[in-house]
């Protein structure tokens, strides 16, 4: 049998954080209001009510479409998608069928991460459309089902990918990148655990060479039949995306190996069983009886918002962090994974680059088109970025995590963090003492100047001639044997003596000055 290739398509739903719901003026706050209070006749689908589309929601959807490289359709319409379920008061959902807001985009996951050489693909985006969310059902212990209509009518965007995903890791990375894009755009909080962002995966395994990809699906080549696909729902975290797909690939692999066949079905990820379980056999589009929504006229999105400007998106920001500042790709990834962290980093680096610009060693560095030093090609800038990257992503993040301090409440101003980095870079303080300064800055609860802390606590490097001379005298007195050995020609002993002197100053002495003075002293 030829090799089996996993074919995975992803459907992501994301709730928009607009002021009001999709088709009525109810507040869009389904999680904060008491059950069934954020509702009106329209979202409860009373007879005779008319839906009015939310302009803000359409504009947010256009932003998502553009951010994913989709073309925004000239003319769009809403359609009714029919199915019966208690979470759907109208008996149909207002969605978009054949004229969605955006089509034919792509998410680029081909990062060449220098730390781990994994290469991921570019994933095609088939369509981006706007619809309304359904009510929330809760099943209680006595077998009753409770319905909360607060969520009914919340604007919901669906993003359908091409079946380009081939691994569970790729699927997870795709979801993470989408979440980041939603957050950068400011259109949704997109928290998977809160159900604001949901993932469904269509998974099948096909023999290599037996299919072609066409119109967002796969088709069997002549003489071949396809294995049925399985839709996996109820995936509520990034971890679950990876686990559910890994599980489903293995399950289908085993079925094929055992010569079994199955019907196209919908399965749900069961977190407690760590398995997918059968839910129902899948409807096809025809079962939904789509037809144009007669109560909402077709519309032209571009007329609603002629010029939409997008903020810098994660992919460009990462590339710029590498290019402009000289960060490693791994650090650039971590520092852009949260918009507030990215802004903080930007402020720190802008301070540091201003300072670096004034140093003689950067005079020969290439000037970036953005005006500053081109970090990637400037050795001192690159060293400084590696230093700052390490201190931001490990020392600062680590200390903040221990204290449960979020970046949004961090008291250390970017300019003061930058100053601490510059003190380390200029070797005015060693790493151990810099760490102590950082902790004081964090624990003080106010914005402290690191230079003041350094001076006040005597954390700075000792460069004072008299002070260092006193240390050297002390060492020579305390270690006569080693001194004699060195004088007799045992060169490596100098390392021991320097080590003892560093220890005597708790690591604060300038090691270069110290060595020079020690050698001078031992000459006679
Ligand atoms: Zn309403």
């Amino acid at each position: 049998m030829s090799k089996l290739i996993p074919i995975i398509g992803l459907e992501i739903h994301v709730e928009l954080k607009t002021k009001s719901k999709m088709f009525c003026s109810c507040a869009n706050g389904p999680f904060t209001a008491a059950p069934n209070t954020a509702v009106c006749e329209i979202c409860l689908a009373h007879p005779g009510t008319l839906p009015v589309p939310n302009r803000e929601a359409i504009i947010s959807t256009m932003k998502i479409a553009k951010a994913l490289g989709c073309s925004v359709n000239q003319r769009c319409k809403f359609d009714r998608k029919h199915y019966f379920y208690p979470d759907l008061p109208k008996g149909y959902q207002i969605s978009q069928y054949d004229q969605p807001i955006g089509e034919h985009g792509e998410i680029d996951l081909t990062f060449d991460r220098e730390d781990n050489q994994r290469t991921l693909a570019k994933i095609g985006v088939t369509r981006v459309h706007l619809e309304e969310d359904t009510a929330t059902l809760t099943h209680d212990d006595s077998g009753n089902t409770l319905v909360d209509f607060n969520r009914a009518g919340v604007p919901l965007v669906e993003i359908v990918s091409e079946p380009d995903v081939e691994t569970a890791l790729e699927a997870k990375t795709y979801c993470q990148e989408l979440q980041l894009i939603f957050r950068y755009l400011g259109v949704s909080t997109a928290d998977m655990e809160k159900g604001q962002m949901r993932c469904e995966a269509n998974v099948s395994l096909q023999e290599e060479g037996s299919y072609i990809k066409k119109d967002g699906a796969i088709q069997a080549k002549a003489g071949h039949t396809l294995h049925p696909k399985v839709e996996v729902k109820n995936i509520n975290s990034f971890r679950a995306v990876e686990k559910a797909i890994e599980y489903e690939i293995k399950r289908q692999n085993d079925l094929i190996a055992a010569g079994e066949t199955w019907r196209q079905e919908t399965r749900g990820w069961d977190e407690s069983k760590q398995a997918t379980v059968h839910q129902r056999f899948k409807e096809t589009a025809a079962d939904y009886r789509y037809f144009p929504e007669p109560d909402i006229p077709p519309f032209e999105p571009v007329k609603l918002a002629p010029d939409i400007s997008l903020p810098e998106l994660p992919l460009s920001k990462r590339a710029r962090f590498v290019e402009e500042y000289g960060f490693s790709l791994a650090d650039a990834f971590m520092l852009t994974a949260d918009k507030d962290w990215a802004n903080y980093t930007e402020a720190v680096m802008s301070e540091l680059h201003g300072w670096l610009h004034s140093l003689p060693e950067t005079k020969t560095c290439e000037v970036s088109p953005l005006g500053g030093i081109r970090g990637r090609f400037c050795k001192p800038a690159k060293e400084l970025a590696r230093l700052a990257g390490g201190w931001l992503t490990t020392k600062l993040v680590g200390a903040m995590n221990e204290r449960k301090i979020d970046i949004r409440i961090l008291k250390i101003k970017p300019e003061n963090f930058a100053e601490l980095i510059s003190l380390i870079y200029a070797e005015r303080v060693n790493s151990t003492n810099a760490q102590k300064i950082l902790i004081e800055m964090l624990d003080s609860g106010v914005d402290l100047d690191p230079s003041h802390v350094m001076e006040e606590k005597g954390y700075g490097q000792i460069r004072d001639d008299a002070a260092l001379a006193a240390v050297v005298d002390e060492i020579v007195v305390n270690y006569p044997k080693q001194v004699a050995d060195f004088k007799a020609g045992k060169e490596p002993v100098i390392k021991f003596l320097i080590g003892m002197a560093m220890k005597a100053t708790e690591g604060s002495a300038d090691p270069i000055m110290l060595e020079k003075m020690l050698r001078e002293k031992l000459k006679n």
Side-chain angles (χ1 to χ4, degrees):
M1 200 172 64
S2 46
K3 191 182 161 199
L4 289 168
I5 311 280
I7 308 280
I8 304 160
L10 297 167
E11 290 171 17
I12 306 296
H13 282 94
V14 64
E15 285 180 343
L16 298 178
K17 54 171 188 190
T18 49
K19 281 185 208 74
S20 56
K21 286 190 183 178
M22 188 59 229
F23 298 113
C24 62
S25 55
C26 286
N28 180 10
F31 304 109
T32 46
N36 294 309
T37 57
V39 291
C40 71
E41 298 85 344
I42 297 173
C43 50
L44 290 175
H46 287 193
T49 54
L50 279 178
V52 178
N54 181 334
R55 183 169 176 268
E56 190 192 355
I58 294 174
I59 293 172
S60 294
T61 312
M62 289 167 72
K63 284 184 185 168
I64 295 174
K66 286 192 140 191
L68 303 181
C70 291
S71 53
V72 171
N73 283 325
Q74 280 293 313
R75 211 175 136 86
C76 296
K77 67 176 171 63
F78 285 102
D79 298 274
R80 291 186 178 180
K81 178 183 179 179
H82 296 81
Y83 65 94
F84 176 76
Y85 206 62
D87 67 356
L88 199 63
K90 290 197 275 285
Y92 59 84
Q93 179 189 29
I94 304 180
S95 180
Q96 293 190 289
Y97 185 50
D98 54 347
Q99 287 175 272
I101 290 185
E103 285 179 288
H104 314 302
E106 179 180 84
I107 297 188
D108 190 350
L109 304 179
T110 55
F111 324 116
D112 90 85
R113 296 192 188 198
E114 47 201 43
D115 55 335
N116 51 358
Q117 291 292 321
R118 68 193 195 198
T119 311
L120 303 174
K122 285 186 178 176
I123 310 297
V125 171
T126 315
R127 52 188 278 136
V128 173
H129 73 250
L130 181 55
E131 57 191 30
E132 55 179 341
D133 210 345
T134 56
T136 324
L137 300 181
T138 324
H139 309 282
D140 72 9
D141 295 339
S142 41
N144 299 313
T145 295
L146 304 169
V147 190
D148 176 6
F149 285 100
N150 283 356
R151 204 182 67 177
V154 165
L156 193 66
V157 172
E158 180 171 343
I159 293 124
V160 182
S161 86
E162 294 283 306
D164 291 344
V165 180
E166 289 188 1
T167 66
L169 173 69
E170 219 164 52
K172 185 177 84 170
T173 311
Y174 173 89
C175 294
Q176 287 171 327
E177 190 69 7
L178 264 182
Q179 182 191 59
L180 203 51
I181 292 171
F182 300 144
R183 290 180 173 176
Y184 268 57
L185 292 173
V187 297
S188 176
T189 317
D191 195 329
M192 280 193 87
E193 278 78 6
K194 288 183 183 155
Q196 294 159 341
M197 175 173 161
R198 294 161 236 160
C199 170
E200 288 161 27
N202 286 297
V203 184
S204 73
L205 295 184
Q206 309 297 346
E207 270 106 39
E208 195 170 26
S210 71
Y211 61 90
I212 51 157
K213 285 181 188 172
K214 199 174 176 233
D215 301 331
I218 52 163
Q219 292 177 1
K221 281 188 187 168
H224 294 274
T225 42
L226 296 178
H227 295 291
K229 70 172 176 184
V230 168
E231 186 175 353
V232 186
K233 289 180 180 267
N234 198 32
I235 303 176
N236 301 323
S237 67
F238 293 126
R239 209 181 122 75
V241 171
E242 201 172 15
K243 289 274 167 202
I245 292 174
E246 266 169 14
Y247 179 88
E248 197 51 34
I249 290 173
K250 180 167 187 318
R251 193 185 68 86
Q252 293 182 25
N253 222 324
D254 293 349
L255 286 174
I256 295 169
E260 287 181 43
T261 187
W262 63 91
R263 269 174 73 191
Q264 189 170 320
E265 62 173 328
T266 299
R267 299 176 72 87
W269 174 245
D270 187 322
E271 194 65 47
S272 58
K273 290 186 184 144
Q274 291 287 299
T276 64
V277 292
H278 173 81
Q279 286 185 332
R280 59 191 157 86
F281 292 105
K282 176 95 181 103
E283 293 94 348
T284 60
D287 295 334
Y288 288 128
R289 290 184 299 120
Y290 276 104
F291 71 75
E293 167 58 61
D295 292 336
I296 306 172
F299 61 100
E300 294 177 49
V302 181
K303 284 201 176 157
L304 288 174
D307 1 75
I308 284 185
S309 58
L310 298 181
E312 184 179 38
L313 293 168
L315 188 68
S316 329
K317 201 181 275 292
R318 265 174 224 134
R320 190 169 57 76
F321 272 27
V322 171
E323 178 76 15
E324 188 181 343
Y325 299 128
F327 279 118
S328 71
L329 205 50
D331 283 350
F333 257 93
M334 279 191 72
L335 294 167
T336 53
D338 179 310
K339 207 172 156 185
D340 292 295
W341 265 107
N343 290 342
Y344 189 80
T345 305
E346 197 106 55
V348 168
M349 291 314 289
S350 141
E351 288 284 332
L352 282 174
H353 266 217
W355 172 73
L356 197 62
H357 219 58
S358 67
L359 298 181
E361 58 254 50
T362 60
K363 287 288 177 279
T364 53
C365 284
E366 198 180 332
V367 173
S368 109
L370 301 153
I373 299 159
R374 203 163 172 197
R376 192 178 194 168
F377 303 104
C378 173
K379 199 161 166 274
K382 209 165 162 174
E383 281 168 11
L384 189 66
R386 302 284 148 128
L387 182 70
W391 275 81
L392 284 163
T393 59
T394 56
K395 303 257 178 19
L396 180 60
V397 169
M400 283 168 67
N401 285 348
E402 275 170 22
R403 290 162 178 76
K404 298 195 166 42
I405 297 174
D406 185 87
I407 183 71
R408 281 153 279 268
I409 55 160
L410 179 65
K411 288 285 194 307
I412 303 177
K413 285 205 183 104
E415 51 265 42
N416 279 333
F417 188 79
E419 193 178 324
L420 178 66
I421 300 299
S422 69
L423 292 174
I424 307 165
Y425 182 82
E427 291 175 348
R428 290 188 53 203
V429 62
N430 65 30
S431 173
T432 316
N433 285 343
Q435 177 91 24
K436 290 181 194 160
I437 297 174
L438 177 67
I439 299 304
E440 294 224 7
M441 289 167 79
L442 265 182
D443 287 346
S444 71
V446 292
D447 186 41
L448 288 183
D449 179 334
S451 301
H452 288 170
V453 179
M454 182 179 85
E455 275 153 32
E456 203 175 290
K457 303 271 173 169
Y459 287 152
Q461 284 210 334
I462 303 171
R463 288 180 153 169
D464 176 58
D465 281 342
L468 286 177
V471 175
V472 167
D473 289 346
E474 192 189 317
I475 294 299
V476 171
V477 171
N478 289 350
Y479 299 97
K481 187 183 172 297
Q482 284 81 358
V483 168
D485 285 351
F486 179 76
K487 284 186 172 174
K490 282 194 181 168
E491 169 64 24
V493 177
I494 193 81
K495 292 234 157 43
F496 169 83
L497 294 170
I498 294 167
M500 290 303 113
M502 289 301 286
K503 203 174 161 191
T505 59
E506 290 180 331
S508 295
D510 179 334
I512 296 164
M513 279 183 76
L514 193 68
E515 179 168 354
K516 210 174 144 216
M517 291 173 77
L518 202 53
R519 284 185 185 277
E520 195 66 31
K521 177 90 184 169
L522 298 179
K523 261 187 194 166
N524 337 312

